[in-house]
Amino acid sequence: MDVPDDDGVARHTPSVGSSFVSVLAETFDSKDAFLADAQRYRRELLAHCYRMTGSLHDAEDLVQETYLRAWKSYDGFEGRSSVRTWLYRIATNASLTALDGRQRRPLPSGLGAPNADPTAEIAEHPEITWLQPLPDAPDEHPSDPSVIVASRDSVRLAFIAALQHLSARQRAVLLLREVLQWKAAEVGEAIGASTAAVNSLLQRARAQLDEIQPSQDDEIAPPESPEAREMLAKYVDAFETYDMDALVRLFTEDAIFEMPPFDGWYQGPADIVTLSSLHCPAQGPGDMRFVATTANGQPAAALYMRNPETGVHEAFQLHVLSVQSGKVSHVVAFHAQDGALFETFGLPLTL
């Protein structure tokens, strides 16, 4: 049989038995069928890698890496666990490898500095690897298992920001035990640790989270709730009409506003409105327009700022809101990153 070498020249090789060829073809067919079937877990694996890294871009790369590793090692999959569990093991270890030696991804309020003076100059720090928002999947349905796994509480910004204070192995153990509800022995097998070590890591992670994560007596309203919809509409209207008095009334007394890559964070309605009045490029009604969306299981709005030279409203910030007890308790206004963030959310760059 003549078979072309790497250089494209056909050379004679011994005939390969038809049985071996059929086995080889069957192997590739089964691997491809496995990969096609495994695609249904892509969204929940993305959420898992996002929880681990705090970065949507890193999570997307890690999911690709997970499927590549799974395809390469499929022949060694013995079926002792489900395909889904096997993929999570691969994704977790890929995340642990990726996080080795990396710094955590903070929000400004997590840098350890006190709340800033809204009248002072604001300092931009693009060199910091900031926490990124996660778009919600528009086609998710409550009966979809991925929604149960990637529950809103486990992708909300406050929780993701708190996870950044844990070591990578602590994050993995906490997520596998408390989000995915794995047994300690299963977690140990996944990350190569004893059951005792897993329990110790979980205990330390819980204690650290209790110190870091602010207590939230009231549940954050989901984005489709009437409460969240109403507050988002009022928030958008106050900015678009440049009604600072109305804006003041929307925030809780201890509300926080932050806007990475600027390192300051601001607390209280008066400081938030002062910040908006002094440092926002808008000069009056009509300069800002918003498009409602959702992110991290929370109501959100994409802000477009009018370019005074062209009159076109251009991508500026993505505001992710926490709504509690009928008021806005927290806003993270993520910079548009020259439109890259808006493209990630499927939003237009101009209006």
Side-chain angles (χ1 to χ4, degrees):
M1 181 172 65
D2 290 336
V3 178
D5 259 346
D6 292 341
D7 57 4
V9 179
R11 294 182 173 85
H12 187 75
T13 63
S15 177
V16 180
S18 60
S19 60
F20 176 77
V21 172
S22 62
V23 169
L24 188 64
E26 186 177 315
T27 299
F28 273 94
D29 287 345
S30 61
K31 287 175 75 171
D32 289 342
F34 150 75
L35 196 59
D37 181 62
Q39 292 300 317
R40 59 179 161 159
Y41 304 114
R42 178 174 289 274
R43 172 64 192 183
E44 56 180 290
L45 289 171
L46 179 71
H48 179 63
C49 294
Y50 171 74
R51 295 185 200 100
M52 285 291 295
T53 63
S55 165
L56 174 61
H57 296 149
D58 289 351
E60 289 172 334
D61 290 343
L62 286 166
V63 170
Q64 290 296 105
E65 176 69 15
T66 296
Y67 281 113
L68 180 61
R69 290 189 188 187
W71 192 86
K72 287 182 175 179
S73 59
Y74 175 74
D75 292 341
F77 176 57
E78 300 174 351
R80 290 184 298 170
S81 64
S82 67
V83 169
R84 178 172 168 271
T85 298
W86 185 53
L87 290 170
Y88 267 105
R89 290 180 60 176
I90 297 173
T92 299
N93 283 286
S95 298
L96 289 172
T97 300
L99 288 169
D100 188 28
R102 290 193 187 182
Q103 295 182 334
R104 65 185 179 92
R105 286 180 171 268
L107 288 175
S109 57
L111 292 176
N115 56 302
D117 178 359
T119 64
E121 291 297 318
I122 55 177
E124 185 175 0
H125 288 279
E127 76 281 0
I128 296 177
T129 52
W130 297 101
L131 188 70
Q132 295 178 344
L134 176 71
D136 291 336
D139 56 347
E140 284 181 342
H141 188 273
S143 63
D144 189 330
S146 68
V147 180
I148 299 172
V149 175
S151 61
R152 281 175 171 150
D153 287 347
S154 67
V155 294
R156 283 184 175 145
L157 283 175
F159 180 65
I160 301 300
L163 286 177
Q164 297 299 303
H165 293 268
L166 306 180
S167 70
R169 285 172 70 82
Q170 284 176 332
R171 283 183 224 175
V173 167
L174 183 80
L175 294 174
L176 294 175
R177 288 283 283 122
E178 300 203 338
V179 175
L180 297 180
Q181 300 293 306
W182 285 18
K183 296 177 181 178
E186 293 176 310
V187 177
E189 186 178 357
I191 66 171
S194 66
T195 301
V198 167
N199 290 332
S200 176
L201 283 165
L202 180 61
Q203 185 177 10
R204 292 202 303 271
R206 284 172 173 166
Q208 205 161 341
L209 278 187
D210 287 341
E211 291 181 9
I212 297 163
Q213 198 171 15
S215 61
Q216 294 182 341
D217 298 328
D218 301 310
E219 187 177 348
I220 294 176
E224 75 280 2
S225 67
E227 178 186 8
R229 287 177 181 271
E230 180 184 3
M231 289 310 301
L232 182 63
K234 289 181 177 179
Y235 182 87
V236 167
D237 184 66
F239 271 109
E240 289 187 340
T241 59
Y242 208 72
D243 188 343
M244 296 296 108
D245 292 334
L247 194 61
V248 166
R249 294 192 293 269
L250 298 181
F251 290 106
T252 61
E253 290 184 5
D254 58 352
I256 291 174
F257 191 98
E258 48 193 330
M259 44 184 188
F262 297 95
D263 63 354
W265 62 280
Y266 307 86
Q267 189 162 31
D271 280 6
I272 294 171
V273 171
T274 299
L275 172 76
S276 300
S277 301
L278 294 179
H279 298 292
C280 179
Q283 300 297 313
D287 282 352
M288 291 179 280
R289 290 177 63 189
F290 286 81
V291 172
T293 184
T294 61
N296 294 80
Q298 299 171 225
L303 167 58
Y304 294 81
M305 191 71 66
R306 189 179 70 87
N307 185 324
E309 296 181 0
T310 64
V312 175
H313 287 80
E314 300 172 346
F316 187 70
Q317 288 176 334
L318 179 75
H319 290 211
V320 183
L321 281 63
S322 298
V323 175
Q324 295 176 274
S325 301
K327 290 203 170 185
V328 178
S329 61
H330 199 146
V331 176
V332 183
F334 294 94
H335 193 266
Q337 302 168 2
D338 295 326
L341 179 60
F342 278 45
E343 290 178 342
T344 297
F345 275 76
L347 294 163
L349 299 185
T350 60
L351 291 181

